Amino acid sequence: MAFWLDLMFGNPIGLMSMIVIFATIGIMSYLMWMFIQKSKPE
């Protein structure tokens, strides 16, 4: 846990990489939700 806190808040590169990872997960889950919504039968 201390390693992750140091990676997130210790240097800006670690913080940027964590932001990129979470943004990617958010975008992918949004696209999956859209796909599920569109493929539902009426």
Side-chain angles (χ1 to χ4, degrees):
M1 190 69 193
F3 171 71
W4 288 105
L5 285 174
D6 183 52
L7 189 67
M8 282 173 65
F9 303 112
N11 50 353
I13 294 152
L15 183 62
M16 284 294 175
S17 65
M18 296 301 274
I19 288 170
V20 166
I21 289 167
F22 285 126
T24 306
I25 291 170
I27 290 168
M28 288 303 292
S29 59
Y30 176 71
L31 288 174
M32 287 298 293
W33 180 77
M34 288 276 290
F35 179 73
I36 290 168
Q37 291 292 320
K38 292 289 182 185
S39 62
K40 273 198 308 194
E42 292 294 328

